[in-house]
Amino acid sequence: QRAPAAAEPTFFSFPRYRHPVAEMLDPPFLPFCLFLGGLGFVCVAFVTAWCQHWRGGFAWDGSTRTFNWHPVLMVTGLVVLYGAAALVYRLPPTWSGPKLPWKVLHAALALAAFILAVLGLAAVFRFHNENGTPNMYSLHSWLGLATVLLFSCQWLAGFSAFLLPWAPAWLRALYKPLHVFFGSTILLLSVASCVSGINEKLFFSLKNGTTDYKHLPPEAVYANTLGLLIVLFGVLVLAALARPSWQRPDADAPDSRQVPAPLR
């Protein structure tokens, strides 16, 4: 099966020839997106149920129930909402017409993810300060704070380069590959931070319990499963970002469905 002739616009930028096996292994984006959205919802539901059922629920009084906001907000913000923001430009409706509404949506989702991450940090710092626990001593805490700081720099740089009107075209073209690279890097760091945090919480919570972590009690099985779901979500988001047939065509590509801007 061959693609239309070069003179005819095609839906995807490339490849021109696709093997039948490759066609079967290239699922439609919409069902994949729906599955990924369901998986993200499951991740949030899992971490919420873990904190509610095994860790005592939620509060903002400095107790362990204050800490429980930390994993819920981090998984919701740094993983699920951030993954959704990363996939905005993979939606076929974004491939034609003005980009500004999609830029605003991308930035708004990323900003919402950042706000939830900051609230998650506030929860864990308040819990530590109220209970005399030192801050920033574990690898998980270093990795998590570095991720949030890198996220803030990424958002500010992206907002300045792509949404403010005075950014020149050459600067946007120069920064775009860096923005894409660090976007994927932040998602990887977010997944690593969440998985290491789950593991650290289990070590601290179960070492003095009726059943140690090494004996794999039901809570450990549940939380380990949560970690695997988070990893799966991150891997699928990165796979969607890397798939060429789901990438937004460049404005200068012959297959682009964008209407070129008028010359001034």
Side-chain angles (χ1 to χ4, degrees):
Q1 180 182 357
R2 294 185 178 276
E8 301 177 6
T10 56
F11 187 76
F12 297 123
S13 297
F14 51 98
R16 292 294 183 182
Y17 176 78
R18 296 173 65 82
H19 193 276
V21 175
E23 294 282 358
M24 291 187 297
L25 295 178
D26 191 9
F29 178 76
L30 183 56
F32 177 88
C33 190
L34 293 175
F35 172 79
L36 194 59
L39 180 59
F41 176 81
V42 169
C43 289
V44 174
F46 255 63
V47 68
T48 304
W50 176 34
C51 294
Q52 181 67 46
H53 180 71
W54 275 289
R55 298 289 102 214
F58 304 92
W60 199 261
D61 55 5
S63 65
T64 56
R65 294 188 300 166
T66 300
F67 174 86
N68 290 341
W69 284 110
H70 176 68
V72 172
L73 293 172
M74 289 305 191
V75 171
T76 305
L78 282 183
V79 177
V80 177
L81 270 182
Y82 187 80
L87 292 178
V88 163
Y89 292 116
R90 296 303 183 267
L91 296 171
T94 68
W95 292 15
S96 61
K99 290 181 64 176
L100 181 59
W102 302 106
K103 288 182 179 181
V104 172
L105 177 61
H106 175 74
L109 288 173
L111 180 61
F114 177 72
I115 292 173
L116 292 182
V118 171
L119 291 175
L121 288 179
V124 70
F125 278 121
R126 177 169 186 181
F127 167 72
H128 284 172
N129 295 335
E130 290 287 340
N131 293 273
T133 304
N135 291 306
M136 304 303 301
Y137 65 89
S138 67
L139 176 60
H140 164 68
S141 61
W142 293 5
L143 186 62
L145 186 60
T147 302
V148 175
L149 291 176
L150 184 59
F151 189 178
S152 63
C153 295
Q154 168 87 343
W155 194 91
L156 288 173
F159 181 82
S160 301
F162 300 121
L163 279 176
L164 295 183
W166 55 72
W170 66 265
L171 179 61
R172 298 183 183 187
L174 181 66
Y175 174 63
K176 183 179 177 181
L178 293 175
H179 187 74
V180 173
F181 169 77
F182 281 108
S184 299
T185 300
I186 290 169
L187 181 61
L188 283 172
L189 292 175
S190 299
V191 171
S193 299
C194 289
V195 171
S196 63
I198 291 170
N199 200 240
E200 182 179 288
K201 181 62 177 178
L202 288 175
F203 275 124
F204 281 123
S205 300
L206 299 179
K207 66 179 180 180
N208 296 321
T210 56
T211 306
D212 291 337
Y213 185 24
K214 64 183 178 181
H215 297 301
L216 207 63
E219 181 181 357
V221 175
Y222 186 92
N224 287 350
T225 303
L226 167 63
L228 291 177
L229 291 173
I230 292 172
V231 171
L232 177 60
F233 182 88
V235 167
L236 290 180
V237 171
L238 293 176
L241 293 175
R243 182 172 288 276
S245 61
W246 291 349
Q247 292 177 3
R248 187 181 196 274
D250 292 331
D252 297 329
D255 291 336
S256 176
R257 294 165 53 196
Q258 285 186 286
V259 179
L263 297 177
R264 294 180 181 272

